[in-house]
Amino acid sequence: VLEAIFKMTSNIYESAANTLGLFNSPCLAKVELRVTCKGISDRDALSKPDPCVLIKMQSHGQWLEVDRTEVIRSSISPTFSKVFTVDFYFEEVQRLRYELYDISSNHNGIKEADFLGAMECTLGQIVSQRKLTKPLLKQGSTVSKSFIMVTAEELTGNDDYVELSFSARKLDDKDFFSKSDPFLEIFRMNDDDTLQLVHRTETVMNNLNPVWKTFKTSLNSLCSGDHDRPLKCTVWDWDSNGKHDYIGEYQATFKEMRGAMDGRQVQWECINPKYQIKKKNYKNSGIVILNQCKVIHDSLVAIDFTASNGDPHNSCSLHYIHPYQPNEYLKALVAVGEICQDYDSDKMFPAFGFGAQIPVTVCVLFCVFPTYVYGCAGIQGVVEAYQTCLPKLQLYGPTNIAPIIQKVASSASQEMHTKEAMQYFILLILTDGVITDMADTREAIVQASHLPMSIIIVGVGSADFSDMQMLDGDDGILRSPKGEPCLRDIVQFVPFRNFKHGSPAELAKTVLAEVPNQVVDYYNNKGIKPKVPSEFESSRTFAP
């Protein structure tokens, strides 16, 4: 199993990450790209196109698909809600190609779709102009008056995501022979008073009390990190001809939405301004309900890339990539990670490294996975990201782990606002030696002991791990430099050498032995009782 995991699988996103060389140089910024098309030509006089845009990146003369938008039915001027997140490298020419297709409602395959035109540019052009508009070309010629517009927005550094679940009740019926087919659009109001589409839900057919699917968006996209920024939310009745009927709207803020983090519902009246003026007894056109708001930043995997591990090209290095068997880091990662991922809701693992030079600036914390996906897909994804980035790094130092703990703690602190056992964080740290920020680490652990999180440290190699044993707290209560004691024991340390010749199951069993009690202790201290399965299922919101 380990050898199979050690070998990289061949899927299009992993191939794109490797061949595009995403780790060749330091990333200047992460940017979000949004796409709008105007004036798409009608191929069929009887119907409008169902557009979808593919984004591709060029590598070694070949175009590789990175992602694609949703399909919008019956639209000649679509604004897509799909957001593309990419790394921007100032010193590199990153060529992009946007391809527009008309995808029939009978099938979503690109092979059977009609090609409507394409636009090529560089990421640098989009970033420098913020909004790039170019005509669509087909076989070198302009396609009528069809244009594509790509806007770029730099991420602010807040990499938290928010999970939202909306429903509505008693919406106005806009159809004669059936009920409305509602969908919800959420717009962010920018500083220049323009509106930016954040998300468009799916359409729920023939239903005045729709329950829309839970979706995830970055806080940067939703409100630019400003919790008081106005959000315009509009409810429409979908029509097959693309001329959707307006039901109503309301204004909200993320600060208001956070009210749904403690298990309560947040509600807004959906108002049609024309009806409000014309109808004397008009109250509203329905109620929109936020059933769940959860800030998520999944548990992290942190890998030590300090120089004390040895040159990865040398067979004596703890990071040595052997052609036939995994090194100690990979063995520990897989043994522990495969157990943890069974309890992870979305199986996506943000993976970070610390202590490396990339390739000039010393970074305490850096991302080791491609940025067009949120985290790595399972532990196998972490393994693949590790193998991809390792040859690009210069191992350096120091061995500081406090920033890693603080990063997870900042996300775990959001869970304290809830009154239910919904999310618990586990941080897995793989390191080879003595940490250099012991005082800061003790402080970080003491503060984290108040939060729904546990820390697993696996010591790789033959170094002196006596400091790690102290952090474990099994021989006494860990205290901060100021003397504040841990509220509860949240650290489990295990030296990998003790299990080097044993089975992966033995290591996983020992490493994870204390986690169940740590979870129970946290919720007992908070007076939070676990839900039985029937209660949990009934409290969740599902799309019809």
Side-chain angles (χ1 to χ4, degrees):
V1 175
L2 287 174
E3 289 187 8
I5 291 177
F6 178 73
K7 296 177 181 179
M8 304 180 94
T9 58
S10 57
N11 65 65
I12 189 168
Y13 297 103
E14 174 266 331
S15 297
N18 293 341
T19 56
L20 288 171
L22 294 180
F23 305 103
N24 283 334
S25 54
C27 170
L28 180 65
K30 292 177 176 35
V31 295
E32 292 183 334
L33 304 178
R34 294 175 174 83
V35 183
T36 299
C37 296
K38 298 290 184 183
I40 300 176
S41 299
D42 287 341
R43 295 181 304 98
D44 188 344
L46 300 178
S47 63
K48 296 179 181 179
D50 301 327
C52 173
V53 173
L54 272 63
I55 180 174
K56 297 183 176 182
M57 285 187 174
Q58 190 179 64
S59 175
H60 307 296
Q62 293 185 330
W63 291 106
L64 301 176
E65 181 184 345
V66 174
D67 211 338
R68 63 181 65 177
T69 68
E70 74 276 18
V71 178
I72 297 182
R73 301 299 178 192
S74 302
S75 179
I76 60 173
S77 298
T79 297
F80 298 97
S81 63
K82 173 72 176 182
V83 177
F84 304 106
T85 305
V86 297
D87 279 339
F88 172 53
Y89 299 88
F90 178 78
E91 72 284 5
E92 294 184 14
V93 178
Q94 297 170 268
R95 300 191 184 280
L96 303 178
R97 177 179 171 88
Y98 291 85
E99 295 180 354
L100 177 65
Y101 290 88
D102 177 11
I103 297 184
S104 169
S105 58
N106 297 325
H107 28 64
N108 286 327
I110 291 297
K111 291 183 179 179
E112 300 179 7
D114 293 306
F115 176 67
L116 300 181
M119 182 272 285
E120 295 181 12
C121 64
T122 66
L123 183 56
Q125 288 176 312
I126 303 174
V127 171
S128 62
Q129 298 182 35
R130 299 293 180 93
K131 183 182 294 184
L132 177 67
T133 302
K134 295 185 71 173
L136 287 167
L137 302 179
K138 189 174 183 180
Q139 296 178 343
S141 301
T142 302
V143 183
S144 185
K145 296 182 179 180
S146 301
F147 290 86
I148 185 169
M149 180 173 66
V150 184
T151 58
E153 181 178 14
E154 183 177 346
L155 292 178
T156 60
N158 184 342
D159 55 0
D160 280 343
Y161 278 64
V162 60
E163 200 171 80
L164 302 171
S165 177
F166 285 93
S167 64
R169 68 170 184 263
K170 297 182 179 180
L171 294 176
D172 285 352
D173 193 351
K174 311 296 287 188
D175 297 333
F176 290 108
F177 303 107
S178 63
K179 297 177 182 178
S180 294
D181 308 315
F183 66 92
L184 172 68
E185 289 184 325
I186 301 175
F187 294 86
R188 181 191 72 210
M189 188 170 291
N190 297 321
D191 294 335
D192 59 359
D193 292 331
T194 59
L195 295 175
Q196 176 65 61
L197 178 64
V198 175
H199 182 76
R200 180 187 296 115
T201 70
E202 77 285 3
T203 300
V204 178
M205 304 299 290
N206 194 33
N207 197 325
L208 301 181
N209 302 290
V211 178
W212 292 291
K213 293 179 181 178
T214 299
F215 66 91
K216 183 169 67 175
T217 183
S218 70
L219 278 179
N220 186 81
S221 292
L222 181 64
C223 61
S224 300
D226 179 2
H227 294 195
D228 292 313
R229 182 178 293 273
L231 304 173
K232 181 181 178 181
C233 307
T234 307
V235 182
W236 299 88
D237 169 33
W238 180 85
D239 283 335
S240 59
N241 61 6
K243 297 180 180 179
H244 310 307
D245 297 318
Y246 175 79
I247 293 179
E249 65 184 63
Y250 64 94
Q251 192 170 100
T253 65
F254 179 61
K255 185 176 181 179
E256 293 173 354
M257 292 181 178
R258 286 176 64 95
M261 293 181 66
D262 60 2
R264 296 184 297 111
Q265 291 181 334
V266 179
Q267 302 182 1
W268 296 270
E269 286 188 300
C270 185
I271 301 297
N272 185 321
K274 289 185 179 179
Y275 289 177
Q276 200 173 34
I277 295 174
K278 293 181 180 180
K279 296 184 178 182
K280 291 183 178 180
N281 298 323
Y282 176 79
K283 292 183 177 179
N284 56 58
S285 294
I287 301 295
V288 178
I289 306 159
L290 177 60
N291 301 289
Q292 173 185 291
C293 174
K294 182 167 66 174
V295 176
I296 54 177
H297 193 97
D298 299 339
S299 304
L300 283 83
V301 175
I303 301 174
D304 184 342
F305 286 106
T306 53
S308 56
N309 285 281
D311 184 353
H313 299 94
N314 190 312
S315 60
C316 296
S317 171
L318 295 171
H319 280 300
Y320 178 63
I321 300 296
H322 194 282
Y324 302 111
Q325 61 183 7
N327 58 34
E328 292 189 14
Y329 275 96
L330 288 175
K331 287 180 180 178
L333 175 62
V334 173
V336 180
E338 284 199 322
I339 303 296
C340 289
Q341 71 180 358
D342 289 338
Y343 299 93
D344 190 280
S345 59
D346 62 3
K347 304 296 186 283
M348 299 299 285
F349 285 78
F352 284 81
F354 57 95
Q357 238 181 11
I358 326 177
V360 178
T361 305
V362 177
C363 292
V364 175
L365 187 68
F366 61 93
C367 181
V368 302
F369 54 81
T371 56
Y372 51 79
V373 293
Y374 178 60
C376 301
I379 288 301
Q380 181 173 346
V382 179
V383 170
E384 294 170 359
Y386 165 80
Q387 291 179 309
T388 301
C389 79
L390 184 59
K392 316 295 183 182
L393 304 176
Q394 179 182 340
L395 275 58
Y396 205 76
T399 309
N400 291 346
I401 66 173
I404 305 283
I405 298 172
Q406 291 163 353
K407 186 170 187 66
V408 180
S410 66
S411 298
S413 64
Q414 302 290 339
E415 186 69 10
M416 292 187 67
H417 296 287
T418 69
K419 297 179 181 178
E420 296 179 284
M422 297 297 292
Q423 193 173 22
Y424 193 90
F425 296 77
I426 295 178
L427 169 61
L428 171 61
I429 300 176
L430 307 178
T431 182
D432 80 314
V434 180
I435 63 176
T436 52
D437 63 342
M438 177 56 74
D440 290 340
T441 297
R442 287 165 53 198
E443 178 67 31
I445 292 174
V446 169
Q447 297 306 316
S449 69
H450 296 262
L451 305 174
M453 65 177 286
S454 293
I455 302 169
I456 299 170
I457 304 175
V458 178
V460 179
S462 56
D464 179 7
F465 292 119
S466 55
D467 283 347
M468 297 296 186
Q469 299 287 0
M470 182 185 71
L471 295 179
D472 194 313
D474 288 344
D475 298 327
I477 298 177
L478 177 68
R479 295 180 180 272
S480 72
K482 300 176 182 178
E484 181 183 354
C486 269
L487 179 65
R488 58 193 182 90
D489 179 18
I490 64 169
V491 178
Q492 171 74 341
F493 170 75
V494 173
F496 182 78
R497 59 180 176 237
N498 293 356
F499 301 87
K500 193 172 183 178
H501 303 292
S503 69
E506 290 180 64
L507 172 63
K509 181 179 179 180
T510 303
V511 166
L512 298 170
E514 296 183 8
V515 172
N517 287 334
Q518 291 171 356
V519 174
V520 173
D521 287 347
Y522 172 78
Y523 290 112
N524 279 342
N525 289 337
K526 294 293 181 181
I528 299 174
K529 295 181 179 180
K531 290 184 175 183
V532 299
S534 60
E535 290 176 341
F536 178 73
E537 292 300 326
S538 64
S539 69
R540 296 188 64 184
T541 306
F542 294 97

